[in-house]
Amino acid sequence: MGRVSQAEARANRAAAVQAATRLFRESGVANVGVADVMKSVGLTPGGFYKRFPSKAALVDEAVGMGFTDMLRYLSELSEDTDDHAAAWQALLDTYLSVQHRDDPGEGCPAAGFAGDIARDPAPRQTYATGVREMAAWIAPGDAGLAALATLVGGVLLARATAGSPVSEEILRAVSDAASPLPE
């Protein structure tokens, strides 16, 4: 078997980080092994340590990529309208939806990684930076942080109660409470 080019190696590495971002949010960092990540992108586990110094390093990159993707999405919402209140409402409509509740692997990294980061402080700085940037998109200062905390808490509670009527009640209640743009 021949060696891969540097471009292929970079592409394989990026694919592994993207897969880890999704898998870690879906199942939790502790429940996803290096072999799971590598298998999901068609690579052998043996090549992991050629690409990453440790699983902790991969987790940190996955958290960073999750927030990068989310901030890109928020930027696109802002570009679609000159009205930040309309962009905020568009975020609420998707964020507090049944689809987002049921698809943590493709969902918000603040919600998807919250439990893992609380238990493992290694990627905490990357997570904190991402939270601050998301909150700043919503509103300046404490208003943005409070609004983001409300959204994340609502989604986490809705996920924890999925399958019962209270889950959709939570999504609706948080949407109603958060509808005016925080100032």
Side-chain angles (χ1 to χ4, degrees), residues 24 27-33 55 116 119:
F24 291 155
S27 302
V29 171
N31 298 319
V32 176
K55 182 180 177 184
D116 290 309
R119 287 184 288 279

Side-chain angles (χ1 to χ4, degrees), residues 3-183:
R3 296 176 52 102
V4 298
S5 70
Q6 287 184 350
E8 289 172 313
R10 283 191 300 274
N12 288 342
R13 187 179 196 290
V17 174
Q18 188 69 45
T21 301
R22 180 180 45 76
L23 292 169
F24 291 155
R25 285 184 292 195
E26 275 176 6
S27 302
V29 171
N31 298 319
V32 176
V34 166
D36 300 317
V37 172
M38 300 305 277
K39 181 180 178 183
S40 75
V41 293
L43 299 171
T44 62
F48 176 82
Y49 291 101
K50 292 179 186 174
R51 292 171 182 84
F52 305 95
S54 64
K55 182 180 177 184
L58 174 61
V59 172
D60 191 63
E61 281 194 53
V63 169
M65 179 178 275
F67 279 105
T68 296
D69 292 346
M70 184 64 172
L71 292 166
R72 185 179 307 113
Y73 170 71
L74 295 175
S75 177
E76 290 168 1
L77 284 178
S78 294
E79 289 171 6
D80 288 346
T81 179
D82 290 334
D83 180 10
H84 189 64
W88 170 244
Q89 189 59 53
L91 175 63
L92 292 180
D93 292 345
T94 57
Y95 199 97
L96 297 168
S97 69
V98 171
Q99 293 78 15
H100 182 236
R101 178 199 66 194
D102 293 346
D103 191 8
E106 296 298 325
C108 174
F113 288 113
D116 290 309
I117 303 305
R119 287 184 288 279
D120 179 8
R124 193 165 286 162
Q125 187 56 50
T126 301
Y127 183 85
T129 298
V131 164
R132 185 162 303 282
E133 290 171 349
M134 279 186 69
W137 179 89
I138 295 168
D142 288 350
L145 288 169
L148 179 59
T150 300
L151 295 183
V152 170
V155 165
L156 291 175
L157 289 173
R159 286 178 179 164
T161 58
S164 75
V166 75
S167 180
E168 290 184 33
E169 291 171 26
I170 290 167
L171 294 174
R172 187 184 66 256
V174 172
S175 180
D176 290 348
S179 283
L181 181 65
E183 297 177 16

